[in-house]
Amino acid sequence: QVLSLPIVVIVHGNQDNNAKATVLWDNAFSEIDRVPFVVAERVPWEKMCDTLNLKFMAEVQTTKGLLKEHYFFLAQKIFNDHSASPEDFQSRSVSWAQFNKEILPGRGFTFWQWFDGVLDLTKRCLKSYWSDRLIIGFISKQYVCKLLSTEPDGTFLLRFSDSEIGGVTIAHIIRGKDGSSQVENIQPFSAKDLSIRSLGDRIRDLGQLRNLYPNTPKDQAFGSHYNSEWVGAE
């Protein structure tokens, strides 16, 4: 007999995501001297932030963790509240149901299923970009529009897709000669897409992308991530 981290026995791969959620919640929020299998149904949001950050850094194997603005976006997502301030969320608690039972509004997946998809994508395809702070990632489409609305034509940033699990999309601003502007979001790239052609090379291919927000020329920001064969071909 020996104490171990929580384990979950599954019979099919489609149970893997829920099993990981159960292990994470139990491991992070149970008391050492608890009655077996008893774990809190609700936990402080700040404690959840610490857990998500540690999980992200460990899974991706990066020293660059989540930032305050990332936590704010995640809080808006899990609580479905876009009117509260960052300070308002600090005093809230989050339930197991909000974490991995309730389907996110307008989506077909839970908060954890979405976050786990981001983890998997970043670990497999985006580790170096994240570690170089080239990906904002955890940011809403609405806030992206606000950031880019006053920027020059061709300014872009990278965010994790809201509508798809495990996708990263490029948002960029297009300015017309009449001064009009609109922000476009390119169809999200999945891990399969990025295994065929890397994110750096895809950004290099897209002529409408000029500067990484706020004002770094894309070749300066992503040059070290370009495939050398393509660089040498020019």
Side-chain angles (χ1 to χ4, degrees):
Q1 181 176 338
V2 64
L3 286 174
S4 76
L5 293 176
I7 62 170
V8 176
V9 179
I10 62 175
V11 296
H12 195 279
N14 62 12
Q15 298 172 320
D16 182 62
N17 188 270
N18 285 328
K20 287 193 287 186
T22 301
V23 169
L24 180 68
W25 188 278
D26 197 290
N27 193 35
F29 306 125
S30 61
E31 300 293 334
I32 294 176
D33 56 352
R34 63 169 173 169
V35 175
F37 310 111
V38 172
V39 64
E41 188 65 27
R42 303 185 71 88
V43 297
W45 171 243
E46 283 193 312
K47 199 169 181 182
M48 174 59 77
C49 289
D50 291 339
T51 298
L52 293 176
N53 183 47
L54 289 172
K55 178 66 174 175
F56 190 93
M57 292 173 70
E59 197 79 18
V60 178
Q61 295 190 319
T62 179
T63 57
K64 300 295 170 56
L66 305 183
L67 305 174
K68 286 183 179 179
E69 51 266 37
H70 297 150
Y71 294 138
F72 183 43
F73 166 76
L74 293 172
Q76 290 177 319
K77 197 172 191 69
I78 201 168
F79 292 114
N80 188 29
D81 185 347
H82 297 274
S83 60
S85 69
E87 292 71 33
D88 293 333
F89 290 124
Q90 289 178 1
S91 59
R92 294 195 190 182
S93 61
V94 61
S95 68
W96 164 255
Q98 289 169 314
F99 180 66
N100 190 48
K101 196 171 182 181
E102 297 169 357
I103 300 298
L104 292 172
R107 306 299 180 206
F109 43 81
T110 66
F111 173 86
W112 167 252
Q113 287 172 327
W114 175 83
F115 188 83
D116 189 48
V118 167
L119 275 181
D120 185 62
L121 175 72
T122 309
K123 175 176 66 176
R124 291 167 62 185
C125 305
L126 304 174
K127 176 183 174 180
S128 59
Y129 302 93
W130 175 269
S131 297
D132 288 346
R133 289 295 191 205
L134 299 174
I135 299 174
I136 293 181
F138 299 104
I139 184 172
S140 68
K141 188 181 289 188
Q142 293 76 14
Y143 193 53
V144 166
C145 290
K146 183 179 177 182
L147 288 182
L148 295 182
S149 63
T150 58
E151 296 300 320
D153 185 59
T155 303
F156 68 98
L157 55 77
L158 302 166
R159 51 177 284 271
F160 296 123
S161 173
D162 265 331
S163 58
E164 295 184 17
I165 293 178
V168 63
T169 187
I170 303 170
H172 64 101
I173 188 163
I174 301 172
R175 289 199 175 279
K177 293 180 180 178
D178 60 354
S180 63
S181 66
Q182 68 179 82
V183 174
E184 281 203 356
N185 288 272
I186 293 171
Q187 179 71 22
F189 301 120
S190 65
K192 183 178 179 181
D193 296 326
L194 298 178
S195 68
I196 296 170
R197 188 153 175 74
S198 73
L199 180 63
D201 286 339
R202 288 178 184 272
I203 288 172
R204 183 169 175 269
D205 292 343
L206 296 168
Q208 68 268 41
L209 306 181
R210 297 176 185 172
N211 296 309
L212 179 67
Y213 178 85
N215 55 10
T216 307
K218 76 173 182 183
D219 290 344
Q220 180 182 326
F222 291 93
S224 63
H225 299 275
Y226 295 160
N227 185 312
S228 58
E229 292 178 19
W230 290 90
V231 173
E234 288 197 346

